[in-house]
Amino acid sequence: MRVLVTGGAGFIGSHVVEALTARGHEAVVFDVRADPAADVRDPAAVARAVEGVDAVCHQAAMVGLGVGFADAAEYVSRNDLGTAVLLAAMAEAGVRHLVLAGSMVVYGEGRYACPRDGVVRPGPRAVADLEAGRFEPRCPVCGAELTPGLVGEDAPADPRNVYATTKLAQEHLAAAWARSTGGSAVSLRYHNVYGPRMPRDTPYAGVASFFRSALARGEAPRVFEDGRQRRDFVHVRDVAAANVVALQAPSAPGALTAYNTGSGEPHTVGEMARALADAHGGPAPVVTAEYRLGDVRHITADSSRLRAELGWKPEVGFAEGMREFAACR
């Protein structure tokens, strides 16, 4: 199979290229890092790129929370306009199989259960609560403490920041393309991906990268809130393998199917910071009580659908992955 990988020179995309090649496929890289003319928003460049390919693995995106709402136009341009240009070129060229780099950010907060009211969806956390160190969302019905759980793909979308909004829009565009062309689309909703080649020293990187960069400078990782916010940290090689499985598997024509892509093992951000610091040899993390308004409290994946339907399973455990990541240069 000949597969166009947008963002194929980037963090996740480069691992997808390696995984495809290892399984005997031909990966075609389309990435501004490799070629400044390879802009996914350029209809002519994209039209040339999709010629003769059997499928597209769309990894190119502007990621993270960025530095503020001033980034909004750039996020929409790169993520949503870029995806629309790509899908239009695929429609014209007759390419009918897409795997999209989705994200767990489309859910907003994760799944919560109230002892009285059952499964509930808390709204955005109030600034006054965050300032006072009240980080846990409360039941929107009775105000009781909530128990976080694993979020499934059928949970309603509730994006809480610009990046999240663009990732949900990408899915809607892909679904519209699939209905219009009879193509098949899969969105792999990545949870917190980490591993070799993760970007460093940029406000658009993930929290694991922030901590590793601090340790490399001899500084303590600064853990926001109280460090007890739960995430699902999944290794980039496992994510790359999920992309290959999704590209190879038969999928429903005319529709988009979403799959959570996570390790299935929740860990707190504080645990992750300590694991990295221990593997690196210190210094120990510092819990700061700082916060970012666009962050959610708990979001962890139920990835059973991906395991059951496509036969994927993660291979890199948390401790092993953190040791490897701490040693990355």
Side-chain angles (χ1 to χ4, degrees):
M1 181 165 50
R2 192 166 189 259
V3 182
L4 177 68
V5 184
T6 69
F11 167 43
I12 298 174
S14 64
H15 286 275
V16 172
V17 168
E18 289 179 356
L20 284 166
T21 303
R23 289 160 178 78
H25 301 294
E26 180 185 357
V28 180
V29 173
F30 186 83
D31 194 310
V32 291
R33 299 172 188 84
D35 177 2
D39 189 330
V40 76
R41 296 168 294 183
D42 181 344
V46 175
R48 290 191 295 271
V50 299
E51 290 179 2
V53 303
D54 302 301
V56 173
C57 186
H58 186 29
Q59 303 293 319
M62 186 174 178
V63 302
L65 273 181
V67 296
F69 200 81
D71 286 332
E74 191 70 9
Y75 272 107
V76 172
S77 175
R78 291 184 180 275
N79 296 355
D80 299 338
L81 174 60
T83 298
V85 169
L86 173 66
L87 293 171
M90 291 172 64
E92 182 67 22
V95 182
R96 295 292 182 261
H97 192 26
L98 171 74
V99 173
L100 172 68
S103 176
M104 53 87 177
V105 294
V106 301
Y107 298 116
E109 287 284 353
R111 186 179 190 274
Y112 292 87
C114 171
R116 194 190 82 172
D117 298 300
V119 175
V120 294
R121 291 189 60 79
R125 296 180 291 173
V127 172
D129 286 337
L130 296 170
E131 287 285 350
R134 296 189 293 268
F135 301 120
E136 293 289 345
R138 311 286 289 195
C139 177
V141 180
C142 70
E145 293 184 4
L146 299 174
T147 301
L150 302 181
V151 64
E153 292 88 349
D154 296 330
D158 186 16
R160 299 287 175 89
N161 56 59
V162 171
Y163 170 61
T165 302
T166 67
K167 295 306 290 183
L168 182 58
Q170 283 185 316
E171 289 195 357
H172 287 315
L173 287 165
W177 165 84
R179 287 192 297 270
S180 175
T181 65
S184 62
V186 170
S187 178
L188 297 175
R189 290 177 175 168
Y190 303 159
H191 283 247
N192 288 71
V193 186
Y194 73 97
R197 300 175 216 148
M198 194 173 189
R200 303 178 67 159
D201 302 316
T202 165
Y204 303 97
V207 66
S209 180
F210 296 158
F211 294 163
R212 184 188 64 172
S213 294
L215 289 164
R217 295 191 301 267
E219 300 171 2
R222 295 177 61 82
V223 180
F224 281 16
E225 302 188 17
D226 58 5
R228 296 174 185 169
Q229 54 271 47
R230 290 157 49 105
R231 297 291 187 269
D232 186 317
F233 299 100
V234 59
H235 196 277
V236 67
R237 287 196 296 274
D238 288 329
V239 167
N243 276 272
V244 177
V245 167
L247 284 162
Q248 294 176 153
S251 51
L256 178 139
T257 304
Y259 293 103
N260 283 335
T261 308
S263 71
E265 298 180 2
H267 291 273
T268 69
V269 173
E271 286 174 334
M272 188 266 287
R274 288 191 294 274
L276 278 179
D278 289 346
H280 191 273
V286 174
V287 178
T288 69
E290 296 172 88
Y291 64 88
R292 299 190 303 179
L293 268 181
D295 282 339
V296 297
R297 179 60 175 173
H298 303 296
I299 176 70
T300 52
D302 178 356
S303 298
S304 58
R305 179 184 292 179
L306 181 57
R307 295 170 185 246
E309 294 186 7
L310 300 189
W312 171 87
K313 66 176 183 177
E315 302 289 346
V316 182
F318 179 78
E320 172 194 353
M322 289 298 160
R323 286 193 298 269
E324 178 198 37
F325 186 53
C328 289
R329 295 292 182 261

